[in-house]
Amino acid sequence: MQLSVTGKQIDVGDALRGHITTTLDAAVSKYFDNAIEGSVTIARRGHAFRADISVHIGRNILIQGHAEEGDAYAAFDAACERIATRLRRYKSRLRDHRKSNRAEDEVTLASQYILAGDEDGEDKGPESDNPVVVAEMETGIETLTVSEAVMRMDLADTPAILFRNRAHGGLNMVYRRSDGNIGWIDPDGGKNRTTN
């Protein structure tokens, strides 16, 4: 696995870099032999450290985890444990997903934008109607079942995922509600659609 380790407001020394490389490689290779790439960012936040980990374990499968602790090693270890827990939980489903429906995999490209209100990060309220476009890129809208979409959302540690429902071909969204449960939006329940 190709791994990049970076620091924000911190110099990541050789000892920490070595610890990150061996620990993350061992945690991921325990469940998946051929992970594609990974990135680890260690950032200082006041008196604490935050570790953000992203690992691509397969085609369009991204796993993310983060943790904040009093020291950089503890922050990384906690984030790595979250990644390992997710891998352990979804290992069989991920392997089954890779083998099934490869010919049916369909990805629709869509534009993705990341918007920010101000360069200094302050929200000026209603008078700031023109947010600054920070990033513009294409992203894929994959054809998944609802359970696969929930699994991908949990693995990527994102609040929502937009996908094309494999059952009827329409756009759907799953999201994490404020009460911790999962919500599912199916605009018209698959009515007026034909199966591809």
Side-chain angles (χ1 to χ4, degrees):
M1 168 175 65
Q2 184 176 349
L3 182 63
S4 75
V5 180
T6 57
K8 289 185 179 177
Q9 300 176 348
I10 181 177
D11 181 28
V12 179
D14 291 338
L16 179 57
R17 188 178 307 274
H19 175 72
I20 289 171
T21 302
T22 57
T23 305
L24 186 60
D25 192 39
V28 172
S29 64
K30 182 177 180 181
Y31 301 103
F32 292 93
D33 300 339
N34 46 358
I36 300 169
E37 65 178 347
S39 68
V40 177
T41 303
I42 306 291
R44 179 181 284 279
R45 293 215 168 161
H47 295 291
F49 292 87
R50 178 182 167 107
D52 292 298
I53 303 173
S54 295
V55 179
H56 285 269
I57 60 165
R59 187 177 147 255
N60 298 324
I61 301 176
L62 172 71
I63 299 176
Q64 295 181 325
H66 66 275
E68 198 166 311
E69 295 288 336
D71 104 325
Y73 285 88
F76 168 75
D77 289 342
C80 190
E81 182 58 36
R82 288 188 177 144
I83 296 255
T85 301
R86 288 187 179 124
L87 285 172
R88 184 172 47 252
R89 186 181 315 147
Y90 291 114
K91 178 181 177 181
S92 63
R93 288 173 63 187
L94 286 170
R95 288 191 192 270
D96 292 343
H97 172 70
R98 283 186 188 177
K99 293 176 185 173
S100 67
N101 300 322
R102 282 216 170 169
E104 296 177 16
D105 281 351
E106 193 177 303
V107 177
T108 306
L109 291 179
S111 293
Q112 177 181 351
Y113 303 94
I114 300 172
L115 305 174
D118 249 353
E119 289 181 14
D120 61 1
E122 291 183 29
D123 185 14
K124 304 259 193 238
E127 62 270 5
S128 67
D129 290 334
N130 298 322
V132 177
V133 176
V134 175
E136 180 178 337
M137 62 200 128
E138 280 195 352
T139 186
I141 299 175
E142 295 189 56
T143 302
L144 304 167
T145 64
V146 176
S147 63
E148 289 170 345
V150 170
M151 177 185 66
R152 295 273 182 100
M153 182 182 70
D154 191 34
L155 285 172
D157 195 23
T158 58
I161 186 170
L162 180 68
F163 65 101
R164 187 169 300 282
N165 193 320
R166 185 170 284 150
H168 55 68
L171 290 177
N172 282 195
M173 178 179 275
V174 290
Y175 62 97
R176 187 158 315 276
R177 296 167 29 122
S178 60
D179 63 3
N181 293 318
I182 303 294
W184 171 26
I185 299 173
D186 189 358
D188 62 0
K191 299 174 189 163
N192 302 322
R193 294 197 183 101
T194 58
T195 307
N196 295 342

